[in-house]
Amino acid sequence: MAVIYEKVALIGLGLIASSLAWGMKRGGLAGEITGYARSAETRDIAREIDMCTVCDSACEAVQDADLVILCVPVGAMDSVMAEIAPSLRPGATLSDVGSVKRAVISAVSPHVPDGVHFIPAHPLAGTEHSGPRSGFAELFDNRWCIIVPPEGADRQKVEELASFWRALGSNVDEMDADHHDLVLAVTSHTPHLIAYTMVGVADDLGRVTDSEIIKYSAAGFRDFTRIAASDPTMWRDVFLTNKDATLEILGRFTEELFALQRAIRRGDGEHLHDYFTHTRAIRRGIIEAGQDTAAPNFGRTTGGKT
Amino acid sequence: MAVIYEKVALIGLGLIASSLAWGMKRGGLAGEITGYARSAETRDIAREIDMCTVCDSACEAVQDADLVILCVPVGAMDSVMAEIAPSLRPGATLSDVGSVKRAVISAVSPHVPDGVHFIPAHPLAGTEHSGPRSGFAELFDNRWCIIVPPEGADRQKVEELASFWRALGSNVDEMDADHHDLVLAVTSHTPHLIAYTMVGVADDLGRVTDSEIIKYSAAGFRDFTRIAASDPTMWRDVFLTNKDATLEILGRFTEELFALQRAIRRGDGEHLHDYFTHTRAIRRGIIEAGQDTAAPNFGRTTGGKT
Ligand SMILES: NC(=O)c1ccc[n+]([C@@H]2O[C@H](COP(=O)([O-])OP(=O)(O)OC[C@H]3O[C@@H](n4cnc5c(N)ncnc54)[C@H](OP(=O)(O)O)[C@@H]3O)[C@@H](O)[C@H]2O)c1
Ligand SMILES: NC(=O)c1ccc[n+]([C@@H]2O[C@H](COP(=O)([O-])OP(=O)(O)OC[C@H]3O[C@@H](n4cnc5c(N)ncnc54)[C@H](OP(=O)(O)O)[C@@H]3O)[C@@H](O)[C@H]2O)c1
């Protein structure tokens, strides 16, 4: 594949940034990759694993970059952007990978200098691990990346960013920020909050010991714990910044949950059976869409990056 | 390995029964395996895949059996047991694999003839698939099987059943029925209900299309859909028969969820961060206990039976 951006700068050097670096190297998509993280420790690790040219300041990293990608938690976008804004070169594309889009746009837009093209994006790919060592080139393969171009965005720059994500292995969709935030509240943010809650309840129950919960997790709970092992800072920021959509979906969720709870209390088996039959169809759709396989996964004893 | 029971009868020929049949064959644990399912279709499939000697009635299947295992949904245990009771041979062990134990004991015990040893059990292993074709010998490997011996049970018969489950690849624990039902309400039943609910909410949301939900499921929702694809009849019976424990855990869950919801509404990032940090530890415990691996799994593109 050919170089798409001569110089790419990554601000933040965690899971997503390191996966980007390895993915760019795999595809030969960037002439040069620079990067910066706030802590010396993270910068040292990034140097050690030879992820990119690690700079000693964010401004140095973005100097002359054709593409700058903000890879920090959503709540840190504002301050990071304020710092690098004066060093961005006119004509550059500025993007991010934040899990929430309306809040990132509000935080970043005011700082964007004239001539810099701000085109937010969100790759729907991640793991429950974080930090520079957790990244891998295949993370984005066959996953979706949602690009959220602001009104009046330069179409050529948008297309260029889309082709970059495709070259990283992703499928690309475009959406407006509010719709993105609602879709993600349903498919990601609320499920994460629920998983965190359930794991917290399990831990808090005096009559069942932690070791029992851990031993018997294979019965369904294990997937919840994987979700609930995700980075606390990232997720705090997601809920604080996608508040309205998350609260809306949570409201719906508790409404439905109460209806099922009442059916259990009353012994209304038909209601339960109908509900459970209905939800099976969605699973079939996901398998058909290639987002998962039909192979039974609860009984798995091994896992892998592929 | 040596034969543990000369003749084993499986009543119900679905996922668990077929996994038992393949597991017994793998280990050479039974001299002969017979089986019965209520529908001719299931019996025909079981014959076609050569899972066991399929009989034309449940009574025929259990004739002279040394071990009879009830592998039907919890709500069907009563009628199945009433049917086979007269055909059980004195000295035989009678067990089951039902996901709830107190209710199965109440349903089955009254029918147990003198001289038959009823020792309930529950293998904590399954997948979201059902029917005879979905079973595989490895399902129970490294999983737990909880045996729930009634008061005054014959210790030798209990030990024999435990060695049978160990020979199938499982670890064995003993517990009383009420504690089993509470532990499972936490680690399995409530998580399933929550997953079903979330998938239902997603499907019901007019402003987000089904195809969007399916496309973007990799962001966390996918694991919920896998859980929510499980058999509706089995799960209806679980909730109807483990009502009290499920409702208790659900009550705790909504309490916690409301606290997190309030934290989001108020912008209390510290509360969220603390909660999310705490839940990470449980995940680590599960990985250390060997119930899962640390390999990132959200990004998986393939799956398998191993
Ligand atoms: N993980 C996922 O599943 C996933 C998926 C899609 C999108 N995202 C989004 O991707 C972004 C990065 O996530 P990640 O998983 O790569 O996180 P990560 O592995 O935890 O890395 C975060 C990086 O941001 C830096 N950082 C954190 N707080 C900062 C602050 N206040 N100021 C400046 N830098 C700060 C960290 O620096 P130090 O290491 O020096 O602390 C680290 O280099 C987030 O916006 C997240 O919403 C995540
Ligand atoms: N799946 C899991 O994850 C899992 C894990 C641990 C324990 N369990 C327990 O294992 C038991 C069996 O589950 P499974 O997953 O093997 O289910 P399955 O694949 O759906 O098979 C159920 C079997 O029971 C028969 N059956 C259903 N309703 C019946 C009725 N009213 N009367 C007589 N027979 C009936 C079915 O016969 P037809 O095919 O002829 O309809 C089928 O052969 C349940 O008690 C469940 O709680 C399940």
Side-chain angles (χ1 to χ4, degrees):
Chain A
M1 262 181 256
V3 167
I4 299 179
Y5 294 100
E6 203 41 63
K7 180 175 171 182
V8 178
L10 303 170
I11 303 303
L13 298 175
L15 165 72
I16 301 293
S18 57
S19 297
L20 278 169
W22 301 126
M24 284 188 266
K25 288 183 188 200
R26 181 185 66 174
L29 311 181
E32 185 191 354
I33 309 171
T34 57
Y36 174 78
R38 63 178 170 171
S39 75
E41 196 194 334
T42 299
R43 296 198 298 274
D44 285 345
I45 295 170
R47 282 190 190 104
E48 193 189 316
I49 63 175
D50 210 13
M51 169 184 151
C52 62
T53 306
V54 179
C55 301
D56 286 320
S57 79
C59 292
E60 195 191 324
V62 305
Q63 209 89 49
D64 299 321
D66 304 290
L67 172 66
V68 174
I69 311 181
L70 306 177
C71 305
V72 297
V74 171
M77 297 279 179
D78 184 1
S79 64
V80 161
M81 183 55 197
E83 193 183 337
I84 62 166
S87 306
L88 296 172
R89 95 160 168 68
T93 296
L94 171 70
S95 191
D96 75 300
V97 294
S99 305
V100 177
K101 296 271 64 94
R102 172 62 60 208
V104 169
I105 292 169
S106 305
V108 170
S109 296
H111 303 289
V112 179
D114 280 350
V116 169
H117 302 273
F118 177 42
I119 307 167
H122 177 206
L124 305 193
T127 75
E128 66 277 22
H129 300 294
S130 42
R133 286 193 205 279
S134 54
F136 49 100
E138 299 78 21
L139 181 64
F140 308 112
D141 285 346
N142 287 314
R143 295 291 161 235
W144 287 90
C145 179
I146 301 180
I147 297 185
V148 180
E151 235 178 287
D154 182 322
R155 284 308 310 175
Q156 204 192 316
K157 298 288 184 183
V158 173
E159 280 312 321
E160 196 174 39
L161 187 67
S163 69
F164 173 77
W165 277 104
R166 280 193 207 99
L168 284 165
S170 292
N171 304 309
V172 173
D173 256 356
E174 278 186 34
M175 224 179 256
D176 71 47
D178 291 331
H179 193 62
H180 167 278
D181 289 356
L182 179 68
V183 169
L184 268 290
V186 179
T187 56
S188 175
H189 305 169
T190 311
H192 269 82
L193 192 76
I194 289 166
Y196 274 120
T197 307
M198 188 65 226
V199 174
V201 167
D203 186 48
D204 192 43
L205 204 75
R207 281 172 299 146
V208 179
T209 66
D210 269 15
S211 95
E212 283 177 318
I213 285 165
I214 288 166
K215 272 162 78 176
Y216 309 132
S217 64
F221 188 65
R222 193 176 47 187
D223 287 294
F224 280 60
T225 67
R226 187 177 325 107
I227 297 177
S230 302
D231 185 59
T233 304
M234 165 182 161
W235 284 99
R236 176 199 62 197
D237 287 2
V238 164
F239 296 119
L240 294 180
T241 59
N242 198 16
K243 189 173 173 157
D244 294 344
T246 304
L247 291 176
E248 180 192 334
I249 303 302
L250 268 181
R252 296 268 200 148
F253 172 83
T254 44
E255 221 173 82
E256 292 284 341
L257 188 64
F258 285 157
L260 288 171
Q261 195 170 341
R262 213 182 49 205
I264 293 173
R265 203 182 299 281
R266 291 181 174 183
D268 183 350
E270 208 179 310
H271 180 105
L272 297 172
H273 194 275
D274 286 352
Y275 200 95
F276 302 163
T277 303
H278 185 62
T279 56
R280 267 198 151 170
I282 297 195
R283 174 70 186 164
R284 256 175 246 132
I286 287 171
I287 292 166
E288 279 159 25
Q291 293 291 311
D292 207 349
T293 79
N297 225 268
F298 284 132
R300 67 178 171 260
T301 52
T302 59
K305 286 182 176 183
T306 52
Chain B
M1 262 180 257
V3 166
I4 298 179
Y5 295 100
E6 202 41 62
K7 179 175 171 182
V8 177
L10 304 170
I11 304 302
L13 298 174
L15 166 71
I16 300 295
S18 57
S19 298
L20 278 169
W22 302 126
M24 284 188 265
K25 288 181 188 202
R26 181 183 67 174
L29 311 181
E32 184 191 353
I33 308 172
T34 57
Y36 174 76
R38 63 177 171 172
S39 73
E41 194 194 334
T42 299
R43 295 197 300 273
D44 285 345
I45 296 171
R47 283 190 189 105
E48 192 190 316
I49 62 175
D50 211 13
M51 170 184 150
C52 62
T53 306
V54 179
C55 301
D56 286 318
S57 80
C59 292
E60 195 191 323
V62 305
Q63 208 89 49
D64 299 319
D66 304 291
L67 172 65
V68 174
I69 310 181
L70 307 176
C71 304
V72 297
V74 172
M77 297 278 180
D78 185 0
S79 64
V80 161
M81 183 55 197
E83 192 185 336
I84 63 166
S87 307
L88 296 173
R89 97 163 165 69
T93 296
L94 170 70
S95 192
D96 76 299
V97 294
S99 305
V100 177
K101 297 271 64 94
R102 173 61 60 208
V104 170
I105 292 170
S106 306
V108 170
S109 296
H111 303 289
V112 179
D114 280 350
V116 169
H117 302 271
F118 177 40
I119 308 167
H122 177 207
L124 305 193
T127 74
E128 66 278 21
H129 301 295
S130 43
R133 286 194 205 280
S134 54
F136 49 100
E138 300 77 22
L139 180 66
F140 308 113
D141 285 346
N142 287 314
R143 295 294 162 229
W144 287 90
C145 180
I146 302 181
I147 296 185
V148 180
E151 235 178 286
D154 181 322
R155 284 309 309 174
Q156 204 192 318
K157 297 290 184 182
V158 173
E159 280 313 321
E160 196 175 37
L161 188 67
S163 69
F164 174 76
W165 277 104
R166 281 193 206 98
L168 284 166
S170 293
N171 304 309
V172 173
D173 256 358
E174 278 185 35
M175 224 179 254
D176 71 47
D178 290 331
H179 193 62
H180 167 278
D181 289 357
L182 178 68
V183 169
L184 268 289
V186 179
T187 56
S188 174
H189 305 168
T190 310
H192 270 81
L193 193 75
I194 289 166
Y196 274 120
T197 308
M198 188 64 226
V199 173
V201 167
D203 185 48
D204 193 43
L205 206 76
R207 279 172 301 146
V208 179
T209 66
D210 269 15
S211 94
E212 283 177 318
I213 285 165
I214 288 167
K215 272 161 78 174
Y216 308 133
S217 65
F221 187 65
R222 194 176 47 185
D223 286 295
F224 280 62
T225 66
R226 188 178 325 107
I227 298 177
S230 303
D231 185 58
T233 303
M234 165 184 162
W235 285 100
R236 176 200 62 197
D237 287 3
V238 164
F239 296 119
L240 293 180
T241 59
N242 197 17
K243 188 170 170 160
D244 294 345
T246 305
L247 290 176
E248 180 191 335
I249 303 304
L250 267 181
R252 295 269 200 146
F253 172 82
T254 45
E255 221 174 81
E256 292 286 340
L257 187 65
F258 286 156
L260 288 171
Q261 194 171 342
R262 212 181 51 207
I264 293 173
R265 202 183 300 280
R266 291 182 174 181
D268 183 350
E270 208 178 309
H271 180 105
L272 296 172
H273 195 274
D274 287 351
Y275 200 96
F276 301 163
T277 303
H278 185 62
T279 56
R280 266 197 152 171
I282 297 196
R283 175 71 185 162
R284 256 176 247 132
I286 287 171
I287 291 166
E288 279 159 24
Q291 292 293 311
D292 207 349
T293 80
N297 224 270
F298 285 133
R300 68 177 172 261
T301 50
T302 59
K305 286 182 175 182
T306 51

